[in-house]
Amino acid sequence: MKIEILYPEFCNLNGDMGNIQYLKRCMPEAKIIETAIHDKPAFSYEEDISLIYMGTLSERSQEIVIQKLRSYKEKIQELIDAGQVFLFTGNSIEILGEYIENEEGHKIEALGIFKVHAKRNMLHRHNSFFLGEYEETELIGFKSQFTMLYGENSTNYFAKVQMGIGINEQSKLEGIKQKNFIGTYVIGPLLILNPLFTKKLLEMMGVKEPKLALEQEVIEAYETRLKKFKALAK
């Protein structure tokens, strides 16, 4: 079992590295590959990587990462088409869109794998609670972002929104799921807050009968928090 973390020195905002820390607890036997910004990504030469992960990063770091990954665009597309499991959290999904537009209207060309684009507003940070549903599993978490995503995701969204927003304030469809690629703005960290989803992810990664670290405790915490979120949603 191999997990590749892309650019952890940059993509570590909003506590998103907590997702990897929890996976390490769930799968202590897994090999963790930390790909630094000047390294060649392991997905370009290693086989049988169970998960490729990227967390939230700063706006400046987005531009650096786009340039680093541009030469691997075809490989990333090939892996998505082949069913490789990806989890991109926070604004990392924007790297795979068509472009990122800043307040002055300048467009930063991204990788163009998904037909969406992002718009920044650095004077307004959106913060909200999130409650949604993915494959009959209820998801909870938070959003904290300077950007919104625009474009068509009605055929490849990640979750339906019950409380909060989707890829933008007018949308009720959150994130992108295409085959085994998942990109979502939901933070928390996502995997610690959502143990039932984490089990689904482990199954996608090829783990048979997945067992969670501190399973009873994290499920009890999830159920307690879920009740509170549902009360807020009324």
Side-chain angles (χ1 to χ4, degrees):
M1 188 72 64
K2 303 173 189 173
I3 298 172
E4 179 173 19
I5 312 167
L6 293 175
Y7 316 130
E9 70 271 42
F10 286 126
C11 307
N12 57 19
L13 303 182
N14 296 328
D16 276 358
M17 287 303 291
N19 291 314
I20 297 299
Q21 292 167 4
Y22 189 57
L23 286 179
K24 287 180 181 179
R25 294 286 300 274
C26 295
M27 299 184 298
E29 76 285 0
K31 178 183 178 182
I32 306 297
I33 303 169
E34 296 192 4
T35 298
I37 197 66
H38 297 298
D39 294 342
K40 184 177 182 180
F43 68 70
S44 68
Y45 61 87
E46 285 215 26
E47 296 181 354
D48 301 323
I49 294 179
S50 302
L51 174 69
I52 299 171
Y53 177 81
M54 184 184 290
T56 309
L57 63 166
S58 72
E59 287 69 28
R60 174 57 184 148
S61 296
Q62 280 182 313
E63 299 178 34
I64 296 171
V65 169
I66 287 169
Q67 294 307 315
K68 288 293 180 179
L69 289 180
R70 194 173 300 283
S71 60
Y72 301 103
K73 172 184 173 178
E74 291 184 3
K75 181 63 176 180
I76 294 171
Q77 182 70 72
E78 175 188 321
L79 289 170
I80 292 173
D81 292 342
Q84 167 67 51
V85 182
F86 289 80
L87 178 60
F88 278 35
T89 56
N91 62 357
S92 60
I93 180 60
E94 299 167 11
I95 290 165
L96 302 186
E98 294 177 315
Y99 61 86
I100 303 169
E101 183 177 339
N102 65 20
E103 297 89 339
E104 289 76 35
H106 174 69
K107 294 179 180 178
I108 301 154
E109 183 183 357
L111 299 189
I113 291 174
F114 299 117
K115 302 303 180 184
V116 292
H117 62 274
K119 290 188 178 182
R120 291 178 183 166
N121 183 352
M122 300 303 293
L123 296 179
H124 175 70
R125 182 192 289 274
H126 171 89
N127 295 296
S128 64
F129 295 105
F130 178 84
L131 173 64
E133 184 178 20
Y134 164 72
E135 293 185 349
E136 300 182 353
T137 296
E138 291 177 298
L139 296 172
I140 56 177
F142 309 93
K143 291 197 172 191
S144 183
Q145 58 200 81
F146 287 112
T147 45
M148 295 288 172
L149 209 60
Y150 297 90
E152 177 58 43
N153 74 329
S154 63
T155 60
N156 62 348
Y157 64 87
F158 169 52
K160 291 184 178 179
V161 177
Q162 298 173 353
M163 178 180 67
I165 68 169
I167 57 174
N168 58 62
E169 292 177 325
Q170 288 73 49
S171 172
K172 289 298 182 181
L173 300 177
E174 157 52 33
I176 289 176
K177 183 178 187 297
Q178 189 154 311
K179 293 197 172 179
N180 289 330
F181 176 93
I182 295 174
T184 176
Y185 281 102
V186 180
I187 57 175
L190 176 69
L191 299 186
I192 297 174
L193 291 185
N194 294 280
L196 303 185
F197 168 72
T198 302
K199 280 197 170 187
K200 287 180 178 288
L201 181 68
L202 291 171
E203 289 171 352
M204 290 169 61
M205 294 166 59
V207 179
K208 296 180 180 179
E209 300 182 0
K211 301 294 183 182
L212 301 179
L214 302 171
E215 184 163 329
Q216 180 178 345
E217 291 84 350
V218 293
I219 289 176
E220 287 177 356
Y222 162 76
E223 291 174 345
T224 298
R225 192 174 284 111
L226 180 60
K227 290 179 182 177
K228 293 180 179 179
F229 275 50
K230 286 185 172 181
L232 288 173
K234 291 182 178 178

